[in-house]
Amino acid sequence: MTTHRAWWKTALGLLFTAIMLFPVYWMVNVSLTRTGDLRSDPPHWFPWEPTFEGYTAVLDQQLPALGTSLLVGLGCVVLTVVIAAPAGYALGLLHLRGGRTLNFLLLVAQMIPAVVMAMGFYAIYNRLGLLNTVGGLIVADSTIAVPFGVLLFTAFMSGIPRELLQAARVDGAGAWRTFWSVVVPLSRNSTITVSLFAFLWAWSDFIFASTLNRNGDLIPITLGIYHYIGNNTTQWNAIMATAVVASVPAAILLVVAQRYVAAGVTAGAVKD
Amino acid sequence: MTTTPTAVGTHGAPRGAAGIRPAAPTGRRRRGPSASQWAAVGFAAPLLVYLVLFYAYPLWRNVDLSLHDYTIRAFVQGNAEFVGFENYAEVFASSTFPTALTNTVLFTVGSIVFQFAIGLALAVFFRSSFRLSGALRAMFLVPWLLPLIVSASTWAWMLNSDNGIVNSVLGAFGAEQINWLTSPDTALLSVTIANIWLGIPFNLVILYSGLQNIPGDVYEAASLDGAGAWRQFWSITFPLLRPVSLITILLGLIYTLKVVDVIWIMTTGGPGDASTTFAVWSYREAFGTGQPDFSPAAAVGNVLILVALVFGFLHLQLQRRQEDS
Amino acid sequence: MHHLTRSAPRRTIALAALTTLAAAGSLAACSSSDSPGTGASGGSDDTYTWWDPYPQHDESSDWTKRVQACGEEAGVTIERTAYDTTALTNQALLSAQEGTSPDVILLDNPAVSTLADTGMLTTVDEFGLDTSAIDQNLLDAGVVDGAAYGIPIGANTLSLYYNADVLKDAGVDPASVTDWDSLTAALKKVTDAGHKGITFAGIGTEEGSFQFLPWFWGSGADLTDLDSPEAVEALELWKGWLDEGYAPNSVIQNSQNTTWEEFLTGDFGFVENGTWQVNSAAEADFETGIVQLPAKDGGVAPAPTGGEFIVAPVQQDTERYETTRQIVECMTTPEGFVETANTFAYYIPPTADGQQALLDEKPELEPWVEAVQNAKGRTSDGLGTDYPIISEALWTAVQNALSGSATPADALKAAQADAESGTN
């Protein structure tokens, strides 16, 4: 009976995914369409006369930008986890006084519109000399993920069984040792979840890259797309091709990471 | 991954929302409060520095912009006149204000309700793992990978009145042409649909993780008692997910209030003001015209933050009430 | 490394504090690689910074090489940054606020008066640049209070492209399109023959105003008076086309690029578009041609000028102006103008000599030169910084009228009220 149900569910799952990803299919469709056919009425379901000029343009020109985006994404992940995990520990397990206020402040931090942040950063970075640097962009992108990361880590860490922490304390471990040897290994799933969010948000960021990183030798892919947007003309098939090519490595990362996000905390506690 | 944000900012033991561990507080601070507090401060120090450095300044700057009259000349020269709350008065008295307010409410409520409902439904669907469930769940996150200019443009493409695929399909069923993006009646609806699509992955991931923390034996016990799937959902899943749901909705609210790109790329807030929300209005004042109007833009932006704050407070109250109960 | 003692908490704080400082420090240190000089202004002594709105021309393009060549002639290296045109004005303002303006900016002509008004631009007189050869109608866009703040590097404008195959099939002679009535009649014939009539851009941004202006000016209306009867006639022309089905509903949302894509499908008889599509028109699957945009009662309608101005922001170190002047002069020789024209398909040079040189090379551009000579700057007539406000009111009115939210007359009346309150 379980196999029966499984088939039915798989079919339904495929259907839902297909509906959800239809716009993505359309994106691929456009990326292969000739400029002359882009606006044909009725629209072509399938690119019958495909053109690969979009993809050739991307592969010729955008690969460094892809590399930069990857670098920024990973850097953002590291920075976010390094700041958010200890903070989550402080709030969730060490019961920082004023923790509730801090949490509220974190919520407020997320309410600030991105444009406001970018304009503020421009001034700060200008004085710190961080304009047009990959490091600066990493820090800017992390502001999107850090408050959320702290929230997630706090929630998770406060759910770690007290017995494990007590056992560590009985052994004489201080706060740091407890953190490093007990809490961090147990937080693997939340770390991966936070990393996932941080990576995705950094990968698709445009506003910070546009304001702060225009002239670097290394620009991320979201800016690379503007290569195809002229003053009055736009090469849509190249833009869509860029998006498709950019999605592939990130999609792979996603599939790998999903497995860890899924497992519950009980599994983590038992295994470790 | 835990799902008990009730622990957030509290000093007691988390309630058994996810039923993970004993409810009685067994953790006792073994050292005097000060030592533990010092440790806590130490661990939170990077975050505190980070917050002050990177959030305080832009926020202060935005407030400053809204309290002065920053013509672009004053912006460059730095000698803006202090005008107190005049910018805010202008904003509230503006003819765009009521439209923007209505649109913001409709857009936000519409987006959140559907994002949450669909995300929850999908999370429940994926809860029992079947073949390919892991890979399919990962595919649902693909919309997140795409730069917003691409996803928003793709939706604009699909919803084009004359050569969009949506109208083409509808036409095949005999429906009339709907001017999705160019009619004041449907512009807001169109951007809401695109925004819902964009928000489903976020809700799915968080709610799914929340569901993972509800132990299977609770469900087994329920089905032994004869409860059907629907009953199980309402009596077990929904209540146990409440803290996760609250935080998901709150975050969803905050993020949706800030949405600009999707609307801007699809309709630029138009036609006219038909799909202008506060965030779009603020953006348009600052960057949408040849004459940047930073002060009104900042004022609108601050109104937005205030609205979000109100909901933040609400959430805090709800949390406290839950803990006290 | 970590002792299990009770002093661990304090050590933790110290460690955390140090880590934070170290991280911040290393970030600052690692930032040295690319950053242009902060502090004073522009770049270092032999690096001059240059901003332009052409991100589609990258490091290896002819345009960059040309820019570098001008730099070398002046004895310096030019560091070029490309922004998309919508972001450029704001970046310029941000950098001016910080005192880090670049040495040279190329920017869209309606934005020149906006920047000039802030006091961040130098006038051409300060620079000792001779602008007597530049066509007045083109130079005017950058004139504020009688002083010219930049030099146009070229101009482009709008015309009416047509699909020769479609027109032949419908029995329309392009030469017959000389005024509004004949154009509407031609559209009727084209749609009766089963094709689509005309497409244009009515989007709610500056592009929408840009495309509406030839009709607005062609009816005899003036930007200071948005609700005059002539203006209402112009808007009613567009609305009429939409109602009759001569223009598709998507024009309300179209950018100029999108209208061109629609035209390339071969379904449309006419499209209102600009000089920059000349190459694409030549490569289309069908034969194309152009006619001048007609004014209401005949003649060529004044179309707005597109194209960038080269401007020099104020610098703290005024010694830099000498070199900047050389760079600007290098870009604005007649040969320089022709080179720019060819790079940007096709900017018409703003001087009579330049235009002649271009026509010698490419005589087929004659209609475009004629169009540019008839064109008008949007910020001319002393409108300056009032123009963006008027423009926003205008495109909003167009959007409201075309989408049916308001009648053309009411929409324009509201627009005039908005424009008046905004420009006071």
Side-chain angles (χ1 to χ4, degrees), chain C residues 96 208 261 272 350:
Chain C
E261 287 168 354
E272 181 188 347

Side-chain angles (χ1 to χ4, degrees), chain B residues 165-178:
Chain B
I165 190 74
V166 173
N167 271 347
S168 184
V169 169
L170 287 177
F173 285 108
E176 255 186 38
Q177 169 176 318
I178 304 180

